[in-house]
Amino acid sequence: YKQERRKYSLIYSGIYNSTSGVNSLNQFVAAEKITKEINPTYGSIQKLKAGWGAGGDLIALCEDRILKILANKDALFNADGNSNVTATDKVLGTATPYSGEYGISTNPESFASESYRAYFSDKVRGSVMRLSRDGLTAISEAGMKDWFRDNLKLNERIVGSYDDKKDEYNLSLPITDDGGNRSVTYKENVKGWVSFK
């Protein structure tokens, strides 16, 4: 046996149920379907967010795309291309990319979430993104498009956090084009960037 790093796939174990005392978290039965492959053109999986939305689906943040993976259900496609969701015994069902050519690059530390919204940076495309019920939105375009395009590329590490007391997303950049380090703050009810720190 030897270790193998799988950048484009997910593997899951047996079930855990505290009520009945079943703990199969250390069991990976190769005879069962225990992997989910992601299209390699989306880049490596950088971060997973479980329990997304009303259905408790899984969000996979890849380098070049953001995917929604159905959990405990699958999509059946009709001849016209429309899909219907159906219950299934599959742990992970269909992986559907959100519209928009954005990913999380290689900065999963920029991710922060709050209830039904998630925020992250896309260094390669010079954008800061929000994922919400209505899909992906480039929030960097709210008056800061050029600043982010110039400054995100200067940083190896881009740290995001969410302040739930003030309802603000903070993004910290150790290096900026003016030579200092900066944290910038996005506020949802203003729909804009409200401070430099």
Side-chain angles (χ1 to χ4, degrees), residues 52 98 116-118 130-137:
W52 188 261
Y98 282 94
Y116 60 90
R117 284 190 293 257
R130 178 188 69 217
L131 175 61
S132 188
R133 291 178 182 154
D134 59 352
L136 286 170
T137 305

Side-chain angles (χ1 to χ4, degrees), residues 64-65 98-103 122 125 136:
D64 299 314
R65 264 335 248 284
Y98 282 94
S99 62
E101 300 287 327
Y102 296 100
D122 186 349
R125 284 155 277 282
L136 286 170

Side-chain angles (χ1 to χ4, degrees), residues 94-134:
T94 305
T96 309
Y98 282 94
S99 62
E101 300 287 327
Y102 296 100
I104 198 167
S105 299
T106 54
N107 299 102
E109 71 278 4
S110 69
F111 182 88
S113 65
E114 171 273 326
S115 63
Y116 60 90
R117 284 190 293 257
Y119 303 89
F120 57 92
S121 69
D122 186 349
K123 176 180 162 180
V124 171
R125 284 155 277 282
S127 297
V128 181
M129 304 300 299
R130 178 188 69 217
L131 175 61
S132 188
R133 291 178 182 154
D134 59 352

Side-chain angles (χ1 to χ4, degrees), residues 2-13:
K2 78 174 192 180
Q3 182 179 358
E4 180 184 0
R5 245 171 133 61
R6 313 252 338 225
K7 299 187 289 187
Y8 313 110
S9 59
L10 303 169
I11 186 167
Y12 42 88
S13 67

Side-chain angles (χ1 to χ4, degrees), residues 13-14 23 30 36 44 58 71 74 90 111 114 119 126 168 177 179 181 185 190 195:
S13 67
N23 184 355
K36 177 71 179 173
S44 64
L58 182 69
D74 208 355
K90 285 184 179 180
F111 182 88
E114 171 273 326
Y119 303 89
E168 296 174 341
D177 57 4
N181 58 348
T185 301
V190 178
S195 70

